[in-house]
């Protein structure tokens, strides 16, 4: 790789910032919601690499190393096949590339559901090996005892209710949740249980808007919506979706750019320049210094 970077040997960070930047903390995020009101919405995006973290970090409050990396980075069909090693490697990269945001790492399927002890072992490894501040896990009432167990032992947790992609095989797809009264009641109960167990923030994904609004009014921790409601205390999107990297995106995604088209144009220009031999040009070549003896190949 030819990218140049300066390495801060004290912190192993590429591109150290000139001024020390104080990282936001879990209590600072939790404290954004006071008496049910969040004056400053929580800005969250996913990030999976150090360079993307560097670019997003100044604009975000939280960076989520989501298990969506299974689809986005690895081309897997679901998040069910994501491994803990993948999450740890990408989590560490995002922490190295960020200074300000609270970094949260998703616990992958099968690494936390069996028991509070299993979840503790997994979360401890994630925090130890990545330097992230918190973990996120999908699930509702059934996970509440696990969340309480972790929080009491020093592991900050973000909950995730509504559409929970790791349960795709049970749900049968990625359709929005909470259309029936029974399902809406269940999701509301899940949210209450997760928040009551001590989660410091709660992702609400892919639910009917009035349900997300009602949950936000009901729970004391900040809610972070994705396909949820503008009333949520913050919003999150998968970064590649909002950059316009994919042709097909769910209804709730807003594309803030069309990076895929721009990459296509750049790749076409490069290919053309290689084929017509206009690249590399004189300014892109190394030449021996004037007067230097010619090196014999
Ligand atoms: O994995 C992920 O990126 C997520 C977000 C969609 C919230 O969980």
């Amino acid at each position: 790789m030819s990218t140049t970077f300066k390495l801060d040997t004290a912190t192993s960070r590429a591109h150290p910032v000139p001024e020390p930047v104080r990282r936001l903390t879990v209590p600072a995020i939790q404290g954004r919601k006071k008496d049910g009101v969040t004056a400053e919405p929580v800005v969250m995006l996913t990030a999976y690499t150090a360079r993307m973290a560097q670019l997003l970090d100044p604009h975000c409050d939280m960076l989520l190393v989501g298990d969506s990396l299974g689809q986005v980075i690895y081309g897997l069909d679901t998040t069910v096949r994501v491994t803990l090693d993948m999450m740890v490697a990408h989590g560490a990269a995002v922490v190295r590339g960020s200074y300000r945001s609270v970094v949260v790492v998703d616990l992958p399927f099968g690494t936390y559901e069996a028991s509070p002890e299993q979840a503790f072992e997994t979360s401890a490894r994630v925090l130890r090996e990545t330097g992230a501040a918190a973990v996120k896990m999908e699930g509702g009432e059934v996970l509440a005892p696990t969340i309480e167990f972790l929080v009491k032992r020093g592991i900050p947790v973000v909950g995730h209710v509504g559409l929970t992609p790791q349960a795709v095989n049970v749900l049968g797809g990625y359709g929005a949740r909470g259309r029936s009264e029974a399902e809406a009641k269940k999701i509301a109960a899940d949210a209450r249980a997760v928040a009551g167990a001590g989660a410091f923030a709660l992702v609400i994904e892919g639910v009917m808007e009035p349900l997300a609004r009602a949950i936000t009014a009901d729970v004391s921790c900040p809610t972070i919506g994705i396909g949820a409601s503008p009333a949520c205390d913050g919003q999150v999107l998968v970064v590649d979706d909002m950059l316009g990297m994919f042709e097909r995106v769910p209804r709730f995604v807003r594309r803030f750019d069309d990076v895929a088209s721009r990459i296509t144009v750049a790749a076409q220009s490069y290919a053309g320049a290689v084929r017509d031999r206009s690249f590399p040009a004189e300014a892109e070549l190394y030449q021996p210094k004037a007067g230097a003896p010619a090196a014999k190949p």
Side-chain angles (χ1 to χ4, degrees):
M1 190 162 119
S2 66
T3 305
T4 53
F5 64 90
K6 221 170 116 202
L7 186 70
D8 178 344
T9 48
T11 61
S12 322
R13 287 184 195 289
H15 303 286
V17 282
E19 298 290 325
V21 177
R22 287 186 65 163
R23 206 182 269 281
L24 284 165
T25 61
V26 164
I29 297 293
Q30 192 169 16
R32 288 262 178 107
K33 190 167 180 175
K34 286 195 182 72
D35 301 325
V37 178
T38 301
E40 191 188 350
V42 179
V43 180
M44 190 192 221
L45 279 171
T46 66
Y48 315 110
T49 63
R51 183 60 184 141
M52 188 59 87
Q54 287 164 359
L55 294 172
L56 304 179
D57 183 54
H59 313 288
C60 290
D61 302 312
M62 298 173 86
L63 291 175
L64 172 64
V65 188
D67 62 353
S68 50
L69 65 74
Q71 284 129 319
V72 174
I73 302 282
Y74 290 94
L76 299 173
D77 53 351
T78 72
T79 55
V80 173
R81 294 165 66 194
V82 170
T83 68
L84 186 54
D85 285 345
M86 287 178 190
M87 297 310 301
V88 166
H90 289 272
V94 169
V95 171
R96 283 195 295 273
S98 61
Y99 302 91
R100 176 181 187 276
S101 305
V102 170
V103 178
V104 179
V105 178
D106 255 341
L107 298 189
F109 177 71
T111 67
Y112 64 97
E113 303 90 331
S115 66
E117 289 77 10
Q118 184 203 28
F120 181 83
E121 289 302 325
T122 303
S123 307
R125 179 179 166 203
V126 167
L127 298 197
R128 206 169 46 232
E129 295 185 22
T130 67
V135 296
K136 176 168 87 56
M137 58 188 66
E138 296 180 10
E141 287 173 297
V142 74
L143 266 191
T146 294
I147 293 172
E148 195 175 338
F149 187 90
L150 294 183
V151 174
K152 282 188 172 156
R153 285 159 181 77
I155 298 186
V157 176
V158 176
H160 183 154
V161 299
L163 171 60
T164 47
Q166 290 178 10
V168 61
N169 292 314
V170 172
L171 301 175
Y174 298 104
R177 315 293 301 164
R179 285 186 194 278
S180 72
E181 201 180 315
E183 199 170 86
K185 280 206 167 98
K186 171 69 181 126
I187 294 169
D190 283 342
R192 209 168 298 131
V194 167
F200 75 93
L202 178 65
V203 168
I204 307 176
E205 178 170 358
V207 301
M208 299 299 110
E209 195 278 336
L211 174 59
R213 191 176 283 273
I215 291 172
T216 300
D218 186 41
V219 300
S220 59
C221 68
T223 60
I224 303 176
I226 173 166
S229 169
C232 288
D233 303 297
Q235 302 292 331
V236 59
L237 281 177
V238 168
V239 66
D240 292 62
D241 285 343
M242 77 92 183
L243 288 176
M245 286 290 284
F246 296 110
E247 272 108 49
R248 285 186 58 236
V249 288
R251 172 194 174 91
F252 58 78
V253 169
R254 184 184 300 175
R255 287 185 173 128
F256 288 83
D257 205 331
D258 186 9
V259 172
S261 300
R262 295 210 269 146
I263 290 176
T264 303
V265 169
Q268 276 169 345
S269 310
Y270 169 73
V274 171
R275 291 190 180 113
D276 70 15
R277 297 191 185 278
S278 62
F279 176 80
E282 190 57 35
E284 291 150 346
L285 302 177
Y286 297 104
Q287 298 290 7
K289 287 209 169 69
K296 287 202 183 80

